[in-house]
Amino acid sequence: MDETVAEFIRRTILKIPMYEMMTILKAWDFLSENQLQTVNLRQRKECLAQDLILLCEEKRASASEVALLDIVYEDVDLFDMEQFKSSFKKILQRALKNVMVSFKDTEDKAVWIRVAWGTQNSKPNQYKPTYVVYHPQTPYAFMSSCSLKSTVPLLGQALMVASKHHQIVKMDLRSRHLDSLKAIVFKQYNQTFENHSSTIPLQERNLGLNIMDSRIIHENTIEKERVQRITQETFGDYPQPQLEFAQYKLETKFKSDVHGGILAEREEPLRCLVKFSSPHLLEALKSLAPAGVADAPLSPLLTCIPSKGKNYFKIRDK
């Protein structure tokens, strides 16, 4: 494939929001159904662009065909927002007599939904509403906590039917910062897990190294550079999504070389809960090794939070 066509594809893909990607590709009607099934939307957009370039190369895409993709992106609007709102509201009102549903559209094409819940015998409680943010043509919704836990499945069902998706994805991911949640879910953050390929010498970056201090011995300088390099390769040069905590539930059988004892005879696994909290947890984790508080690299259980899209973990014996 001509390099200019490949670059045209790359730039076009990079400007399409991840939550619209599959809809746009299907509307383009250039890639086969089998090719579309191989498209992995749960990766960084740059990697996705490279994958799509290879798929287009298989079909020998021309500049004019890629131009059609650009036109489709600018013009296509296959989602009927009014129909979604009407359907969503009707589903909730059929299930609950007293429920009040309000909508507000946003500039990024999302819709904010406010649901005030009542019961069969009481009016909607306006002081304890549930807020939902839904991005059209995606299986993801962002939901505030619900005072009535029984309403969560009903919300999921209403979203699924109104959006015409087979399922609404439930993720073990919580935060007070909606933009950070969206950045993780839609892979819009710039965390890198590959080797950093920048040509800027490590010493020239703002890594907090005081190399000019003659009191720092050579071995210590090398170790600090190693820690900074690993930290950069793990977290990247960019601000991290803002999460306030990560929670780990551990379940394990007691293991000991010594026979007998109360714990050795215990059939139930040992359980404990570990919770890391910070106003900006990922940035705090990023600073641990450079500050000398932890060894580098950090455990994958800590660094995988954005890539796995979760900050609730259950760890069991294999």
Side-chain angles (χ1 to χ4, degrees), residues 95-204:
L96 291 173
K97 179 180 178 181
N98 294 315
V99 60
M100 180 177 176
V101 185
S102 306
F103 301 94
K104 181 181 179 181
D105 299 333
T106 63
E107 293 181 357
D108 62 350
K109 298 182 180 181
V111 56
W112 277 73
I113 308 171
R114 181 185 186 274
V115 183
W117 303 98
T119 65
Q120 298 297 334
N121 303 313
S122 64
K123 293 181 178 181
N125 186 343
Q126 302 295 344
Y127 302 105
K128 293 184 178 180
T130 299
Y131 294 95
V132 180
V133 180
Y134 176 66
H135 284 263
Q137 302 170 346
T138 78
Y140 298 103
F142 304 91
M143 187 185 306
S144 67
S145 59
C146 296
S147 56
L148 298 173
K149 299 300 181 184
S150 59
T151 61
V152 176
L154 181 58
L155 273 176
Q157 181 182 6
L159 285 168
M160 185 172 64
V161 175
S163 64
K164 299 179 181 179
H165 273 284
H166 296 298
Q167 65 173 340
I168 295 295
V169 179
K170 181 180 179 181
M171 303 180 69
D172 294 321
L173 184 65
R174 308 286 187 276
S175 175
R176 297 177 182 175
H177 301 273
L178 179 60
D179 288 342
S180 292
L181 291 174
K182 291 194 293 185
I184 291 174
V185 170
F186 297 133
K187 303 297 181 183
Q188 295 169 339
Y189 64 95
N190 289 297
Q191 186 183 31
T192 57
F193 293 93
E194 300 86 4
N195 289 331
H196 195 72
S197 58
S198 173
T199 57
I200 303 175
L202 186 64
Q203 292 87 346
E204 294 181 13

Side-chain angles (χ1 to χ4, degrees), residues 9-187:
I9 296 172
R10 190 185 76 85
R11 293 193 180 191
T12 303
I13 293 300
L14 290 181
K15 70 181 183 179
I16 300 175
M18 288 294 279
Y19 62 84
E20 293 182 348
M21 189 68 69
M22 187 55 70
T23 300
I24 299 297
L25 291 176
K26 288 181 178 179
W28 183 30
D29 198 27
F30 177 73
L31 298 176
S32 68
E33 188 64 33
N34 288 338
Q35 286 179 311
L36 289 175
Q37 290 177 0
T38 66
V39 174
N40 177 16
L41 296 179
R42 298 182 63 82
Q43 61 178 323
R44 292 171 56 229
K45 192 181 285 187
E46 186 67 49
C47 297
L48 173 62
Q50 295 302 320
D51 289 349
L52 289 171
I53 288 172
L54 293 176
L55 292 177
C56 291
E57 188 173 18
E58 291 177 5
K59 297 199 68 174
R60 299 181 180 180
S62 64
S64 60
E65 287 165 327
V66 182
L68 287 176
L69 173 62
D70 190 40
I71 294 174
V72 168
Y73 165 61
E74 297 296 334
D75 291 344
V76 72
D77 186 9
L78 304 179
F79 186 79
D80 189 332
M81 181 62 78
E82 294 307 315
Q83 183 180 1
F84 168 83
K85 293 177 182 178
S86 176
S87 176
F88 182 87
K89 192 172 184 177
K90 285 179 180 178
I91 293 169
L92 293 187
Q93 290 177 337
R94 286 172 183 166
L96 291 173
K97 179 180 178 181
N98 294 315
V99 60
M100 180 177 176
V101 185
S102 306
F103 301 94
K104 181 181 179 181
D105 299 333
T106 63
E107 293 181 357
D108 62 350
K109 298 182 180 181
V111 56
W112 277 73
I113 308 171
R114 181 185 186 274
V115 183
W117 303 98
T119 65
Q120 298 297 334
N121 303 313
S122 64
K123 293 181 178 181
N125 186 343
Q126 302 295 344
Y127 302 105
K128 293 184 178 180
T130 299
Y131 294 95
V132 180
V133 180
Y134 176 66
H135 284 263
Q137 302 170 346
T138 78
Y140 298 103
F142 304 91
M143 187 185 306
S144 67
S145 59
C146 296
S147 56
L148 298 173
K149 299 300 181 184
S150 59
T151 61
V152 176
L154 181 58
L155 273 176
Q157 181 182 6
L159 285 168
M160 185 172 64
V161 175
S163 64
K164 299 179 181 179
H165 273 284
H166 296 298
Q167 65 173 340
I168 295 295
V169 179
K170 181 180 179 181
M171 303 180 69
D172 294 321
L173 184 65
R174 308 286 187 276
S175 175
R176 297 177 182 175
H177 301 273
L178 179 60
D179 288 342
S180 292
L181 291 174
K182 291 194 293 185
I184 291 174
V185 170
F186 297 133
K187 303 297 181 183

